[in-house]
Amino acid sequence: MPHSARPTVTLRDVAAAAGVSVSTASRVLGGSDRTVAKEYRQRVFSAAAALRYTADASARAMRRANDSIAVIGDDLTTPSMGMVAAAMERRARDAGAFVTVSSTHGTTERQLETVRLQRALRPRALILTSSRLDTNALGGRLLDELLGYEREGGRVVIVGDTDMPFDSISFDNHGPAKELGAYVAGAGHRHVTILAGARGQGNVSARTAGFMAGLRDGGVEARHIRISHCAVSRQGGFDAAQRLIAEGLAKPHAVIAANDTIAIGAMSAFRAAGVAVPDNVSVTGFDDIELATDVTPRLTTVSLPLAQAGAEAVRLALADRTEAEHLRMRGQIVVRDSTAVSVA
């Protein structure tokens, strides 16, 4: 049979594949208020995705004027993502819509699978948050899925760096990072360790490159700049700082972390080892999460407009436009108590 003769997948096909009744499959995919056990709901969603059941579900969703916005994120547990998602929910509620969230753990395979599942449910818009989404991901299959969703009347917004042809909001990670590196150098620090996060992660890699550029411009010799990769988490920062303590802290020393969570973990390790911040070592972060002002000492960081990005993403998702809009947001340095001027 030629590819163009692909048979239409019906609700009965989905029900059979999921091992449930047609009425149960209809309730799950039709958005019924009647409760369906979690096990059956997952089986129906999985079967719908595997069979590429989208067209009929789309038509039903359009008829019931679905006002949901599906947010698909790499990791929903991070404080920065929490700030973005909270702002999305507030903006959506004000507009009479509501937000659902799904996590992909940063893998393109999970992103593709989740987009397929959401197409079956036919939300009004999809918002994908990721450090980087490329057109050629999975051989272009993710792009094809998103384009198919837009052809059905949906809207796609990407929060993060991308070359895909959709509405997008990105952050300038390199520029403010360079300014922060220059600030640390200008404060007199001549030995610096960068806690760079995971290798190959777009946003933290751009920040690391910016830190390096700012430090070198500020007169710090390249041989006195160490880059330490770690998990992008509080524990990752704690473990990296412990390694640094064991290796020895050349003075005057500063630690520049790729985000606030890593920085806060590092400060915890320094405190446990009796290394005073900022008397013995200055520490900086990036993002300006709420905890940055609650820790002692308060964290010097780069404040990103995370809440603004979340609100703008929902605005783009609900806007009635034909041309894609691309926004780029920039943060600014906020100097607090975790850094000091070195006179050594």
Side-chain angles (χ1 to χ4, degrees):
M1 178 181 296
H3 292 296
S4 60
R6 177 186 171 196
T8 300
V9 177
T10 68
L11 186 63
R12 188 176 298 279
D13 296 327
V14 174
V20 300
S21 68
V22 174
S23 60
T24 295
S26 177
R27 284 196 294 272
V28 172
L29 297 177
S32 171
D33 293 334
R34 296 183 60 183
T35 301
V36 176
K38 181 178 179 181
E39 173 191 354
Y40 296 134
R41 288 177 59 83
Q42 186 57 52
R43 279 160 55 177
V44 171
F45 289 150
S46 297
L51 295 173
R52 307 293 295 278
Y53 177 76
T54 58
D56 289 347
S58 299
R60 281 196 303 278
M62 291 296 288
R63 285 196 297 269
R64 69 174 183 266
N66 191 339
D67 278 325
S68 69
I69 299 172
V71 177
I72 302 172
D74 286 352
D75 185 356
L76 304 179
T77 65
T78 64
S80 56
M81 182 60 201
M83 294 173 68
V84 172
M88 289 179 178
E89 196 279 329
R90 288 193 297 269
R91 183 64 179 261
R93 185 175 62 246
D94 290 343
F98 64 96
V99 170
T100 64
V101 293
S102 303
S103 175
T104 66
H105 305 291
T107 68
T108 50
E109 292 82 4
R110 286 288 297 274
Q111 287 168 344
L112 178 61
E113 175 189 356
T114 305
V115 169
R116 285 177 174 171
L117 286 171
Q118 291 295 344
R119 280 186 70 184
L121 298 175
R122 191 52 177 86
R124 179 171 176 177
L126 290 177
I127 299 177
L128 285 77
T129 69
S130 185
S131 61
R132 177 77 195 180
L133 284 173
D134 291 314
T135 293
N136 62 359
L138 298 177
R141 285 184 291 153
L142 179 59
L143 174 63
D144 289 343
E145 202 73 31
L146 292 171
L147 288 172
Y149 167 74
E150 282 211 331
R151 285 194 297 270
E152 295 162 0
R155 189 92 187 205
V156 176
V157 179
I158 295 175
V159 180
D161 292 330
T162 187
D163 59 352
M164 291 185 177
F166 307 111
D167 289 311
S168 66
I169 300 173
S170 62
F171 296 100
D172 179 2
N173 287 292
H174 185 276
K178 183 177 179 179
E179 292 175 4
L180 184 61
Y183 164 76
V184 169
H189 298 289
R190 288 298 175 261
H191 297 269
V192 180
T193 297
I194 299 173
L195 302 187
R199 296 179 187 272
Q201 188 168 326
N203 57 347
V204 294
S205 295
R207 294 174 187 181
T208 298
F211 298 148
M212 290 286 293
L215 289 168
R216 289 196 297 265
D217 287 352
V220 181
E221 298 180 34
R223 63 191 179 94
H224 290 156
I225 303 173
R226 286 190 283 185
I227 296 179
S228 177
H229 292 281
C230 62
V232 183
S233 65
R234 181 188 178 282
Q235 188 63 49
F238 186 94
D239 294 342
Q242 280 193 321
R243 293 193 297 269
L244 179 59
I245 294 167
E247 294 167 1
L249 285 167
K251 297 181 180 180
H253 207 100
V255 168
I256 302 179
N259 74 7
D260 292 346
T261 305
I262 295 173
I264 290 168
M267 287 201 300
S268 180
F270 289 139
R271 182 169 56 251
V275 178
V277 177
D279 294 342
N280 301 131
V281 58
S282 288
V283 179
T284 69
F286 205 107
D287 285 342
D288 200 20
I289 62 176
E290 293 179 352
L291 192 57
T293 57
D294 292 334
V295 294
T296 303
R298 297 180 309 149
L299 183 63
T300 293
T301 187
V302 169
S303 180
L304 287 184
L306 297 170
Q308 181 185 355
E312 285 293 288
V314 171
R315 179 186 68 79
L316 293 174
L318 299 177
D320 184 16
R321 294 175 296 101
T322 56
E323 295 296 322
E325 187 172 342
H326 306 287
L327 305 179
R328 189 160 180 82
M329 298 188 171
R330 183 182 177 90
Q332 60 183 5
I333 298 175
V334 179
V335 178
R336 298 194 180 106
D337 307 325
S338 65
T339 51
V341 175
S342 174
V343 296

